[in-house]
Structures are given as C-alpha cells and as structure tokens.
Amino acid sequence: MKAQDVLPDGEDFTTINGRALRKGSVAAFLANARILEDAGTSPADRQAAEDDFASLIPTLDALGLFDVFELRSPFLRAEVARHRAALSPSPASPSA
C-alpha cells in the first residue's frame, strides 16, 4: 500500500475506525515527542508539546500505531499509557 492509497493527493483528512484523521498527525506526534525528550526545552514549549502530544494519541490509536510500534522512551511510553487509560471507558461494575 502506498501513502496515496490511504490519503489521496489533495485530501487532508480520512476516516479510519470512525475517526476523522488529519494528514501530518504522525509527523506532529514525533515532533512533539522530540521536544518532550529534549532537556533544554523551555517550560512553555514543554507544556505546548505535552498538550499537542496528548491530543494526538486518540488519532494514533485509531490508526493502530501503538499496536505495531512500541515507544523506546520510558517517559513517552508512560505518557501514552496514561492518556490512553484516561480515554478508555471504565469497566462496568459487576451487578449484585
């Protein structure tokens, strides 16, 4: 499969698993991950990257990225797991 088979030229969005996905989401996630891993990042830039990083997790989940790739960074892995857990519906309580 080629990139244009997933998202044809001239199109900026596609729908996968019922979620509208924007072109560039994976690249933006990676850019934010690099910012978060940089010890020299200013607090303001770190906060902006954290917000953007977290907002992309549902998109990358819909793409199945985390089913195929594991993040090397323990910090980034923990952040993704934390945000994914917050997005998951809580299991139903057993009825008595």
Side-chain angles (χ1 to χ4, degrees):
M1 180 175 288
K2 296 181 177 156
Q4 63 266 27
D5 296 333
V6 176
L7 194 61
D9 290 341
E11 303 237 355
D12 293 331
F13 292 87
T14 191
T15 302
I16 296 176
N17 296 330
R19 184 167 183 87
L21 308 174
R22 180 162 171 59
K23 179 170 44 177
S25 297
V26 173
F29 181 83
L30 294 172
N32 287 307
R34 287 186 194 99
I35 291 168
L36 292 172
E37 289 287 286
D38 183 350
T41 300
S42 72
D45 288 344
R46 178 171 297 285
Q47 185 60 55
E50 284 178 14
D51 294 344
D52 292 339
F53 181 88
S55 73
L56 289 164
I57 291 171
T59 297
L60 300 181
D61 251 338
L63 285 170
L65 185 100
F66 304 120
D67 297 331
V68 177
F69 296 106
E70 181 178 351
L71 295 167
R72 285 189 202 176
S73 163
F75 168 74
L76 296 176
R77 238 186 355 262
E79 283 299 292
V80 167
R82 183 172 67 85
H83 288 289
R84 288 176 85 193
L87 294 169
S88 296
S90 299
S93 299
S95 301

